[in-house]
Every structure is written in C-alpha cells, then in structure tokens.
Amino acid sequence: MEASSYVINVKDLVKKFGDFTANDRLTFHVKRGEIFGFLGANGAGKTTAIKILCGLSVPTSGFVEVSGYNVKTQSEKVKSSIGYMSQKFSLYDDLTVFENIRLFGTIYGLSSGEIKERSADMLSRLGIEEQRNRLIGTLSLGWKQKLAFSVAVLHRPKIVFLDEPTSGVDPITRRQFWELIYQAADEGITVFVTTHYMDEAEYCNRVTIMVDGRISALDTPSGLKSQMKCDSMNDVFLKLTRPN
Amino acid sequence: MIDVDSISKNYGKVSALCDLSFKVRKGELFGVIGPDGAGKSTLFRIILSLLLPDSGKVSVKGLDPVQDYKSLRKIVGYMPGRFSLYEDLSVEENLNFFASVFGTTVEENYHLIKGIYQQIEPFRKRPAGKLSGGMKQKLALSCALIHQPELLVLDEPTTGVDAVSRSEFWSMLHQLKEFGITIIVSTPYMDEASLCDRVALMQQGRILEVASPQDVVDNFRGALFGVSGGNMYRLILDCRDFDMVETVFPFGEELHLSFKDGGDHRTDLHEFLKRRGSDEVSIRTIQPGIEDRFMALMATS
C-alpha cells in the first residue's frame, strides 16, 4: 500500500527527556477509517506518543506525519485536522449542551450556520433534541461521554483521539458509545483509542501494545491472540508486559 | 459479617440508594459491581459509619454503625477511591502513623502486609506523593491492613490502573482471604466480578442481583449468539432490521445477539443477511458473560 493512503505515518520516532528514552524508535501506520487501539502499562510511553501525534510535542528524532502534515513543521494544521476526547476532560459542566457545541465548533472554525445545522443533526441522531438547553453538569456520565465524542467529531476531523473514553460507564452505554465509534469509522474518520481495559481492545481493527517505550506487538486482536496462544487480550497483555 | 437491611439514602431530590438489602458472610470476598453513580461509595460509607442512612439498618459483626461507631472503626480497614494518604510523609512514616493511630505497631502485624509491603519497601524513604500509581495502591492497602482489621472495605481500588497492576492487586486480595479477613470491594469493571466469591450488581441506587459469579451467568435466560464478519457497523444495522431480533450489542470482534422468543433463528438470520449482501457472516452460539446478564437485568429493571 502507498504511504499516502495512511492518515498516520510514524517512522523511527524517538522522544527523549534528558537521558530517559520515553519513545524508542516507534514505527507504525494507521489507515483511513481504521479503529486503532494503543495499549500499554502505566509509564510505557503512550501519553508521550499521543502528545506528539496531536502536535503538542515534537519528536527528538524520526518522522511523524498526521493527516498528511508533518508534526514538527505543521503542528497547527495537525491540530485542526484532529479531534480529541478524554475521560478526564470532556465538556464544560456549567455550560449547556448547545453552548458546549457552539464553543468547540467555533474553536474549530465552523460558521454559525454549520454549527446550527450539525448540532441539530447530532442531537437528533442521539435522540436528545429536548436536552439542548440543559447544563452538562446535570447529565449522566453516559450522556456526557456520548456527547463529548460527538462534539469531538463535529468539525469532521480526519482522526479522532480517544483517551480512555469509556471508563466507569454502564455496559449498555458503553455499547452505544462503541456504536458511535463504528459509525464515525464507517464515515471515514480514523479512530485512535487508548485504554487500560483489554476487553475494549477487542473492538479495534488493529492493536499495538507498548512496553518500556517500544512497540512490542501490533496486529489484529485475533492475530495477537493466536500468535501468543492466548484466549483473551488480557492474557496477551500480561504475557507481553510481564513475561515471567 | 455485614447485614444491610433495606437502607435508603437521598441527597436532596437525588435518590442515591433505594431500599438495599444483602448480607456478606465472614471470610467472603464480596464484590459490588456497577458503573459510576450506581451508589457504591455511598453504600460503603454507610457501612463504615461515615454517613447516616435515611432509613434502614446496617450491622457489621453485630455492631451498629450509628451507636457503636467507635468499636466498629477499630475492626474495619478502609481504602477510599481517591488516594488519601499523606503525600508529604514517606512510605514508612505513613505506615507508622496509621499503626499508631490504631494503637499498634508495624512489627506486630507485619505478617499481614509482608507480601504487599516488601514490594514497596525499597522506596520506604520516598514521599508517598512521589510513588507510581501501582505503588500508591500497595501502600494504601498496607495502611488499611496494619491494624489487622476483620473487615476490609476497598472502594474502586483498580480504577485507572493498568492490567498488570490490576491482576497483581487481585492476587493480593486472594492472599488476604487466607488470613480470614472479610473483604468487600467495589469496581465498575464487570470482568473483575469473576474474581469474587459473590457479587452484588448495582445500578442507579438499586441492587439488580446478589449471587455467585457463576449463578449470575447461569441465570441468563434464552440463547445468545455471536455474529461476526464484514463491516461491524453495517452488520449491527442489518441485524437490527431483522424482525425476530431482540437485542444486538457490539462485544469486541463479535456482536452478541438474542432473538425475541429466546430461541434459535440462525438460519433465517443468515438468509436475511445474505440478501442484504453480507456473505461472510458467521453466527455461533455463545455462553453469556457477566456483562450480558447485567445488561439483561438493566433492561428489565
């Protein structure tokens, strides 16, 4: 496959903090519309790599291209071509649903007409038109997370980064959340997910597992399971991160 | 060991707990499983005498958390959801502090914490605030154990912790069971239910079920099928369009699907999906898991 069909191109990425190597020669590619899982133990170097992919930090050496832009020289273009959502910070509790949509829409340069049209479409898809003027703080965690995801893709980014998006939500909401992810991927948005929870890894098209700053595995979940002779992604993860 | 008898708790208009009843046996590893906002922490605080219920009664080893709170607090160890040790005290200082508050010494009960504490002992001079997440967790557990409690109450000890530390933590809990300590532990992660002797499934202030993990799964009614192949999103939409389908949920690489009468209409579904252009679909019978059962209970409650 041509390198240009990838929306994320990483070759020999190295990031050092003083003597410490947080990312050690990472090389991987992510296809358009792919759901890509990024796993690793605490301190394995995931956050460092994501910051670089989002244009918030520059690599010490190596080549990183996101949505066709070089993160070193075109970081502002990288930022406007991606969406981001995390469990810790999603939306402002003391703004209403629509105010949040308008705020993020404006930040990403949408016109007020586009914001109006897309927010109406989004709220009707989620089936919560009547909640438009409710404060985010009064919504359940499940609704907050589903809205946060929809807001993160409001500007139709090429890639959306999800940092542990579904921790703590009930199992039905979690499934609804994954349906939103599948829908976005079906529309051509690439989804880059980090999670500590291995059952979540099974939803991804491909998964990479980082150990001590390096990529120690990259394949489909079923490929990893058969390669490592394990029944679950949890066992794969334990085998890779704790070989003894 | 614990007897919770129809307790309710409201915060203003919000009902946090609604008529909960269950019992925990001595020496049991009891899990309270439910998402954020289910009422797990409120329930634990009431058991620990830190919060008063609006109605209902609790007894812990025959003690009433309201009347006998002083004696009760001596026999319980508590690890709250947020790291709550003194960050500017060293590992060793924290442990000595908790031991002296309970009128004991680290030496006296060292046997209980040995397996856990040895892993962080090389860092005993380090301020607790500068430990990694996994090490903080081990220190917090050591501090909760140092007065040899009969009941250990752990509020979401594994939330936000990576899979390796989680698995280590659960094996520590199984070792503690050997000392006869009763443990009640909450978690939002359904896959941890299977590591408990019995579990209470909680949702929105109510208990959906109390049973052994095996019974929870065995109580799932009807047949469940795993469907996979092709584009996942299209497959979900197509399956939902089939008349006889009751529920369709994505479950990693497969969809979990049940039919309206709990029966088996695989052949018809296969035909239907084929007409929709999906040739490579595989449908197989599967064993339900804790999450399948939890979702079924949520739908009926």
Side-chain angles (χ1 to χ4, degrees), chain A residues 114-188:
Chain A
E114 284 172 317
I115 291 172
K116 223 173 173 180
E117 192 186 314
R118 289 186 196 180
S119 65
D121 177 50
M122 178 213 293
L123 295 177
S124 91
R125 270 204 213 188
L126 292 171
I128 51 166
E129 292 102 322
E130 71 282 8
Q131 313 288 349
R132 188 178 181 272
N133 298 317
R134 249 178 88 171
L135 290 180
I136 288 287
T138 65
L139 297 175
S140 72
L141 175 70
W143 276 116
K144 276 189 209 173
Q145 295 299 81
K146 281 185 271 184
L147 266 169
F149 177 77
S150 304
V151 168
V153 296
L154 187 72
H155 61 292
R156 316 255 159 92
K158 290 206 169 81
I159 307 162
V160 62
F161 289 88
L162 307 176
D163 200 358
E164 295 186 39
T166 66
S167 309
V169 305
D170 70 70
I172 291 186
T173 303
R174 197 140 81 100
R175 263 73 203 184
Q176 291 166 342
F177 192 90
W178 274 98
E179 269 194 59
L180 290 176
I181 294 180
Y182 284 140
Q183 189 180 32
D186 192 54
E187 289 164 4

Side-chain angles (χ1 to χ4, degrees), chain A residues 42-163:
Chain A
N42 294 332
K46 297 192 302 283
T47 308
T48 303
I50 289 168
K51 278 190 174 163
I52 293 171
L53 293 173
C54 291
L56 300 171
S57 164
V58 290
T60 307
S61 67
F63 176 75
V64 180
E65 193 184 66
V66 173
S67 347
Y69 302 117
N70 188 316
V71 293
K72 230 171 183 168
T73 54
Q74 298 169 293
S75 66
E76 288 311 310
K77 287 199 162 142
V78 168
K79 286 179 203 165
S80 61
S81 73
I82 63 171
Y84 178 83
M85 175 206 160
S86 82
Q87 152 81 3
K88 283 174 203 119
F89 172 79
S90 44
L91 300 170
Y92 291 97
D93 275 349
D94 48 359
L95 295 181
T96 66
V97 169
F98 182 69
E99 284 166 346
N100 268 288
I101 297 174
R102 191 172 59 195
L103 173 68
F104 286 99
T106 310
I107 289 172
Y108 281 105
L110 298 183
S111 69
S112 59
E114 284 172 317
I115 291 172
K116 223 173 173 180
E117 192 186 314
R118 289 186 196 180
S119 65
D121 177 50
M122 178 213 293
L123 295 177
S124 91
R125 270 204 213 188
L126 292 171
I128 51 166
E129 292 102 322
E130 71 282 8
Q131 313 288 349
R132 188 178 181 272
N133 298 317
R134 249 178 88 171
L135 290 180
I136 288 287
T138 65
L139 297 175
S140 72
L141 175 70
W143 276 116
K144 276 189 209 173
Q145 295 299 81
K146 281 185 271 184
L147 266 169
F149 177 77
S150 304
V151 168
V153 296
L154 187 72
H155 61 292
R156 316 255 159 92
K158 290 206 169 81
I159 307 162
V160 62
F161 289 88
L162 307 176
D163 200 358

